[in-house]
């Protein structure tokens, strides 16, 4: 039977590359976006590549909506083999005391609560259908402090905590839960900080031993691996895909 993956926030950046990567491996791809037009457009792109896909509109901060999306995915394809909690935001690249409370709230709502809702409802379905794998988007900022990102760091450290704790809870129940920690990847999130002048592309590349930023495809491959049957003894861990950043 074909496997099915659900990916949140998948019409841009890492999520988009991940949808293509799962499609390439023969998965049914259920993907979400807050933007109807972008979702429909991306659905056509996937179909043109022969990928069976379903687009569902979703804001991950809406718990009921997350539950509905998970249930719709299972209703359509019979089972959810993998969930990728990809949707995330990085707001306000400034010194911590200059950050706004609203920005931190939005990051916690999206990066932490959104991941929690996704895990919660996917796990309930996976328990009924024989298990599965969950991959959460953490970051090098989930393990380290990074300049101008204290609030984002807090949200991604929480993702690592949720991943570890839940992995232990379900370790004997056929559900593996891991995180992936990208270094700086060229996507809208980073571009926003470059546009404000907080960083330059060169200064971001320079903090990685490989002296470059990563690509969405670099991360997509790691995510597909963590969700696959190639790593049956991996759970509760974080896979660093960061050009050597965390080795320093
Ligand atoms: P991106 O901005 O292209 O992708 C994030 C996606 O999440 C967007 O499509 C956005 O619309 C969606 N999103 C934001 N809030 C949402 C909400 N409330 N409900 C539903 N969707 C929402 O940026 P990128 O880089 O592809 O980010 C993907 C994930 O990777 C994020 O969790 C990010 O924190 C993480 N990450 C990115 C790194 C980077 O350097 N680009 C480094 C480490 C982690």
């Amino acid at each position: 039977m074909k496997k099915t993956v659900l990916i949140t926030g998948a019409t841009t950046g890492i999520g988009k590359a991940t949808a293509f990567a799962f499609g390439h491996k023969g998965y049914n791809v259920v993907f979400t976006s807050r933007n109807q037009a972008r979702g429909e457009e991306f659905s056509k792109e996937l179909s043109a590549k022969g990928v069976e896909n379903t687009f569902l509109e979703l804001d991950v901060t809406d718990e009921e909506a997350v539950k509905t999306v998970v249930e719709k995915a299972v209703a359509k394809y019979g089972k959810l083999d993998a969930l990728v909690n990809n949707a995330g935001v990085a707001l306000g690249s400034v010194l911590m005391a200059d950050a706004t409370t609203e920005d931190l709230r939005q990051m916690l709502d999206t990066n932490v609560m959104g991941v929690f809702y996704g895990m919660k409802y996917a796990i309930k379905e996976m328990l009924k259908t024989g298990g599965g794998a969950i991959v959460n988007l953490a970051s090098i900022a989930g393990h380290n402090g990074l300049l101008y990102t204290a609030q984002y760091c807090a949200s991604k450290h929480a993702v690592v905590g949720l991943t570890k704790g839940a992995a232990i809870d379900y370790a004997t129940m056929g559900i593996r839960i891991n995180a992936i920690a990208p270094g700086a990847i060229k996507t809208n999130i980073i571009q926003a900080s470059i546009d404000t002048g907080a960083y330059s592309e060169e200064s971001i590349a320079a903090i990685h031993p490989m002296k470059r930023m990563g690509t969405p495809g670099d991360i997509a491959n790691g995510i597909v691996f963590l969700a696959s049957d190639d790593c049956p003894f991996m759970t509760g861990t974080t896979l660093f895909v960061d050009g050597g950043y965390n080795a320093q």
Side-chain angles (χ1 to χ4, degrees), residues 12 14 34 59-60 86 88 138-139 152 156 183 185 187 189-190:
T12 62
I14 293 169
R34 284 173 300 180
D59 182 327
V60 298
N86 169 75
S139 168
Y152 181 71
K156 292 299 186 179
I185 311 302
T187 65
I189 275 186
I190 294 273

Side-chain angles (χ1 to χ4, degrees), residues 33-41 55-57:
S33 169
R34 284 173 300 180
N35 185 304
Q36 182 80 28
R38 271 212 310 259
E40 285 169 6
E41 178 71 33
F55 160 59
L56 297 170
E57 202 174 335

Side-chain angles (χ1 to χ4, degrees), residues 1-55:
M1 190 178 165
K2 251 180 116 173
K3 288 190 169 186
T4 300
V5 63
L6 169 61
I7 309 167
T8 62
T11 56
T12 62
I14 293 169
K16 184 170 186 175
T18 302
F20 277 125
F22 275 105
H24 185 67
K25 293 277 181 192
Y27 281 71
N28 303 312
V29 175
V30 182
F31 71 94
T32 77
S33 169
R34 284 173 300 180
N35 185 304
Q36 182 80 28
R38 271 212 310 259
E40 285 169 6
E41 178 71 33
F42 186 44
S43 177
K44 284 186 202 146
E45 272 185 65
L46 285 167
S47 297
K49 300 264 181 204
V51 178
E52 166 59 31
N53 71 88
T54 298
F55 160 59

Side-chain angles (χ1 to χ4, degrees), residues 158-171:
V159 170
V160 172
L162 275 175
T163 301
K164 288 180 178 174
I168 291 167
D169 284 349
Y170 295 96

Side-chain angles (χ1 to χ4, degrees), residues 173-192:
M173 299 183 211
I175 302 176
R176 295 183 305 101
I177 304 169
N178 292 292
I180 190 158
I185 311 302
K186 272 182 98 165
T187 65
N188 297 342
I189 275 186
I190 294 273
Q191 193 57 48

